[in-house]
Amino acid sequence: MAINPMAKKEFDLIVYGATGFTGRLVAEYLAQRGISGWAMAGRNTAKLAEVRDLIGAPKDTPLVAADAANPASLKTMCERTRCVLTTVGPYQLYGSDLVAACAAAGTDYLDLNGEPAWARQMIDAHEAAGKKSGARIILSAGFDSIPFDLGVWYLQQEAIKKFGSPAPRVKGRVRKMQGGASGGTMASMKATLKASFKDPSILGLLNNPFALTPGFEGPSQPSGMVPEYDKELGVWAAPFVMAPINTKNVHRTNMLLGHPYGRDFVYDEMMLTTLGEAARALVDAAAKANPFTGKGLKPGDGPSKEERETGFYDVMFTGIYPDGRKIVTSVYGDRDPGYGSTSKMISEAALALLETKSAGGVFTPGGLIAAPLVERLQKFAGLTFKVE
């Protein structure tokens, strides 16, 4: 399937980082989907060719040499394509020059960053350039934060249909989740923590729910950082490791769309569990996030094929009105969240973006391509959005 046979640039889409763990999954997914007009990029074309053959991509899939340590190569890559999908992280270490190159060239950009302080830096640095060149810079187009960003968007569409107005209070609750982490995710967490020790202002951004809505500060939000008993659900809720990223993106989507959820919108995320499991989760998360340990997964590592295919996630969203009315929706993913599902989500986000006409700037998926992306995710990527 061709994305856009009338495209003026050499490629519609380049997958940058295609020899990495997630990049390889993205390339494999595009090949299996029969997409044409795309290329694989990375530092070493010999390794790219090896991956191309291993994943069963067509032998004529173009290979592009590009290196984060060589800004000129990034500039050349961006000038050859309509869109760059990058899996090369941590983005605060390897992504800034690529965002700048895309913003300058008018080339669309998508990433998987879960690094909100860096995301704010990119908004401040490149919003104006993107608007000028027409580049659409989409941040956090993986498990952080598509199921949550679009999950809230979907709930609000259904709430308006049912009640005539959006829900001013939404709770996101991860009911079940199974899947492994990768070295790339761990590396991003460690890079963020190390950066915060050097620059205390980063801690302020990490703790601010409205860090990605420059010029707008909404009402006080629940921290979600302490286990609590949810009386409405009758279960314990524990801190959810992705909440500090996802909640910021949900508020940015609300701002980008003109505050359709309301300027007084309140949102939080937690994981449903037992009290004992909540305590163990806190200890485990603290141990894994220690930036000074050399133990654990390294970048390029990740869950096995079996783990990816047996993984899943189930997230419930509850919209609550002051008068007691409620609406409950859910998002279900049929693969492990971080890799099996993420690789499909960012791929479909790129394809949706290429088919969407809009002005440039820095966006969330929900802030630009929500409707077509929800449709694509349900049709191709194994996600289910429904009212319960």
Side-chain angles (χ1 to χ4, degrees), residues 137 166 274 293:
I137 309 297
T274 65
T293 179

Side-chain angles (χ1 to χ4, degrees), residues 148-185:
F148 306 90
D149 182 18
L150 297 190
V152 174
W153 177 87
Y154 176 83
L155 177 141
Q156 297 291 26
Q157 309 313 302
E158 296 300 323
I160 292 169
K161 290 178 188 177
K162 184 174 182 178
F163 297 123
S165 63
R169 171 74 172 104
V170 174
K171 293 183 177 183
R173 296 293 184 264
V174 180
R175 288 189 289 205
K176 294 181 180 179
M177 185 170 73
Q178 179 174 308
S182 90
T185 298

Side-chain angles (χ1 to χ4, degrees), residues 121-150:
Q121 293 169 0
M122 295 301 98
I123 292 168
D124 292 343
H126 303 298
E127 180 88 54
K131 289 180 177 179
K132 182 178 180 180
S133 70
R136 285 88 56 84
I137 309 297
I138 291 189
L139 306 176
S140 302
F143 184 61
D144 42 339
S145 297
I146 282 178
F148 306 90
D149 182 18
L150 297 190

